[in-house]
Amino acid sequence: MNTLLSILLLMLSISLATFVLQIRNQLNKHLESNIKPFDMVIGAKGSPLQLVLSSVLHIDNPTGNISLEEALKISRNPMVKETIPVSYGDNYKGHRILGTSKAYLTKYSATLLDGMLYQKPFEVVIGSDVAKKNSLQIGDTFVSAHGLVKNGLETHDEKPFVITGILKKTNTIIDHLIITSLESIWKVHEHEGAQVDGHNHHEEKHEEQHKITSLLIKFRNPLGALQMSRFINEKTTMQAALPKFEIERLMEFLGFGFQTINGIAIAILLVAGLSIFINLIKTVRERKQELALLRTYGANTFLLIKLVFFEALFLSLLGAIVGWFLGRISIWLFSVFTENMYGYHFVLSLPDNKELYILGLVILTTLLAAVIASFSLFTLNVSKIIADA
């Protein structure tokens, strides 16, 4: 019973530690690959983190809309290398429909698997995961639903979209998006406006009233982002957020949670090591007669110590290996949840250097417990033990 408890504690500590390590590392890579193309996001006033999460990572609601005309004034600054406007507000079965320029695809090195890029309003290209989950093909049509959450309550039946292309898998946010032109997004909501007002205000004002959700910016040098962000936040009605800075803040906040779980895993590992140590001492005491009998058959003290070592090594390896597999199963279950909720997928990988380091630490701790537990073998009174038997 004590041996089983020791193995269970060891399994729990290893599974927790490997789960946290993998989730933290993969989450970092996911976030970095998605924010890397852009130095700044400009949007409506509000939370800068929310602006980054909604406009770059597409896992939150936008802070509002901004004027396209006002936003494009930023692109005339000589420090700005490239600007990409984005607009969204509708979805298809939970997948966001993003209106933007084709340069957005280039930023993520997205290429076509089949078909061609959108050329006219209401033509779209879809990410690989969108196509796979919904069994969509070139030429299929669909209607969008209002909002960013999966629902069929308010759909734009009068303006269906047609799929002209399917993108190759990029392992970025692109895989979970439906991408079209800005004109497509504007026309969907212009139609709504015409129905409500009874006449065409939108066409009269044309581009002056066009709104976008945000403007994604790449600068010629990093200093440009710092200088421009202060100017935009203080002198305009818009808000500037730096994706790298906001994600670092987010990971720092999440880091406390990761550290807490790691601390719990280490505490359980220490308890497991102590349990194995007590179990080994108990085993040596219970098997004194067997060990003494082995000595009478010519086995030396070193051989007896090796037997204790091998038992300790077996326990540590069994607990570590099963714990590692439990950690991977936990990652798979967590990945199913995050992919459905946020479109983020975590892969099952081979052990990395940190996990091998943990395995080595477990083995060393167990062998240390075996050494301490084996001290009594040096003072084993063979004749007395056999006589008492």
Side-chain angles (χ1 to χ4, degrees):
M1 185 66 183
N2 289 333
T3 303
L4 180 60
L5 178 61
S6 301
I7 294 174
L8 288 175
L9 287 172
L10 189 57
M11 286 164 44
L12 180 59
S13 65
I14 295 296
S15 61
L16 272 176
T18 56
F19 173 80
V20 170
L21 279 174
Q22 284 296 315
I23 293 298
R24 187 171 189 171
N25 291 341
Q26 292 191 40
L27 183 59
N28 263 324
K29 290 178 181 177
H30 274 303
L31 295 177
E32 286 178 6
S33 64
N34 283 315
I35 68 171
K36 188 177 180 181
F38 307 109
D39 297 323
M40 181 188 287
V41 187
I42 297 176
K45 295 284 188 183
S47 164
L49 177 59
Q50 182 182 352
L51 179 58
V52 171
L53 292 178
S54 61
S55 294
V56 182
L57 302 176
H58 300 284
I59 55 175
D60 203 350
N61 293 319
T63 54
N65 290 327
I66 58 176
S67 165
L68 175 63
E69 184 181 9
E70 185 180 4
L72 289 180
K73 290 178 183 177
I74 304 297
S75 63
R76 303 188 188 109
N77 191 294
M79 291 185 291
V80 174
K81 182 180 179 180
E82 187 176 8
T83 59
I84 299 177
V86 296
S87 184
Y88 55 90
D90 294 340
N91 79 93
Y92 172 68
K93 294 186 176 180
H95 300 284
R96 295 191 181 194
I97 302 174
L98 183 71
T100 186
S101 66
K102 294 171 185 175
Y104 184 84
L105 299 173
T106 306
K107 284 295 182 182
Y108 288 101
S109 302
T111 56
L112 286 166
L113 175 68
D114 192 15
M116 63 180 184
L117 294 178
Y118 50 86
Q119 304 295 331
K120 298 181 293 185
F122 298 102
E123 292 182 343
V124 302
V125 294
I126 60 176
S128 59
D129 288 349
V130 180
K132 183 178 179 181
K133 286 182 180 179
N134 301 283
S135 301
L136 296 173
Q137 298 177 350
I138 303 296
D140 288 349
T141 60
F142 63 88
V143 294
S144 62
H146 188 66
L148 302 176
V149 180
K150 181 179 179 179
N151 71 82
L153 299 178
E154 188 179 345
T155 59
H156 303 291
D157 297 320
E158 72 286 351
K159 292 292 183 180
F161 288 90
V162 59
I163 299 170
T164 62
I166 299 174
L167 299 170
K168 292 181 181 178
K169 192 169 185 64
T170 62
N171 293 315
T172 65
I173 194 62
I174 287 279
D175 298 336
H176 309 280
L177 296 177
I178 298 171
I179 301 173
T180 185
S181 62
L182 285 167
E183 289 77 9
S184 301
I185 303 298
W186 293 332
K187 283 182 179 294
V188 167
H189 298 98
E190 281 174 357
H191 187 80
E192 283 180 355
Q195 284 185 321
V196 173
D197 298 337
H199 53 86
N200 207 340
H201 284 300
H202 294 273
E203 286 186 6
E204 292 172 9
K205 300 237 177 163
H206 194 51
E207 188 165 310
E208 292 182 49
Q209 278 201 349
H210 280 326
K211 300 285 186 179
I212 59 172
T213 307
S214 58
L215 187 70
L216 308 175
I217 301 178
K218 187 72 176 177
F219 288 94
R220 299 186 189 279
N221 62 72
L223 291 176
L226 297 175
Q227 294 175 10
M228 286 288 291
S229 63
R230 184 174 180 180
F231 169 78
I232 293 167
N233 289 330
E234 294 180 357
K235 304 295 184 181
T236 71
T237 59
M238 301 179 294
Q239 172 187 218
L242 307 178
K244 184 175 178 60
F245 175 73
E246 295 301 330
I247 294 304
E248 283 177 353
R249 284 181 55 206
L250 176 64
M251 290 305 298
E252 185 178 348
F253 176 75
L254 293 176
F256 291 114
F258 289 137
Q259 289 172 7
T260 301
I261 298 174
N262 273 333
I264 294 171
I266 291 171
I268 296 173
L269 179 60
L270 292 174
V271 173
L274 181 62
S275 177
I276 290 173
F277 168 64
I278 294 172
N279 186 64
L280 289 173
I281 291 178
K282 186 179 178 181
T283 300
V284 170
R285 288 178 179 175
E286 289 177 349
R287 296 181 182 175
K288 274 187 176 181
Q289 293 180 1
E290 297 174 16
L291 296 173
L293 190 60
L294 287 173
R295 287 292 301 275
T296 62
Y297 286 118
N300 55 30
T301 304
F302 179 69
L303 181 60
L304 299 183
I305 293 174
K306 278 205 304 184
L307 292 176
V308 177
F309 274 15
F310 282 133
E311 182 172 344
L313 185 63
F314 173 76
L315 290 176
S316 63
L317 286 176
L318 178 63
I321 292 172
V322 176
W324 183 85
F325 276 107
L326 284 176
R328 287 304 189 270
I329 293 171
S330 301
I331 291 170
W332 176 73
L333 293 173
F334 186 70
S335 179
V336 172
F337 168 75
T338 56
E339 191 165 16
N340 289 333
M341 290 292 294
Y342 305 110
Y344 279 85
H345 175 70
F346 294 90
V347 299
L348 303 181
S349 60
L350 294 174
D352 59 19
N353 291 335
K354 289 184 178 179
E355 289 177 318
L356 293 175
Y357 172 77
I358 291 174
L359 176 61
L361 184 63
V362 167
I363 293 173
L364 286 175
T365 304
T366 309
L367 292 181
L368 179 62
V371 169
I372 299 172
S374 301
F375 281 162
S376 60
L377 296 177
F378 291 100
T379 58
L380 197 66
N381 191 331
V382 177
S383 57
K384 185 177 184 302
I385 292 173
I386 292 177
D388 292 341

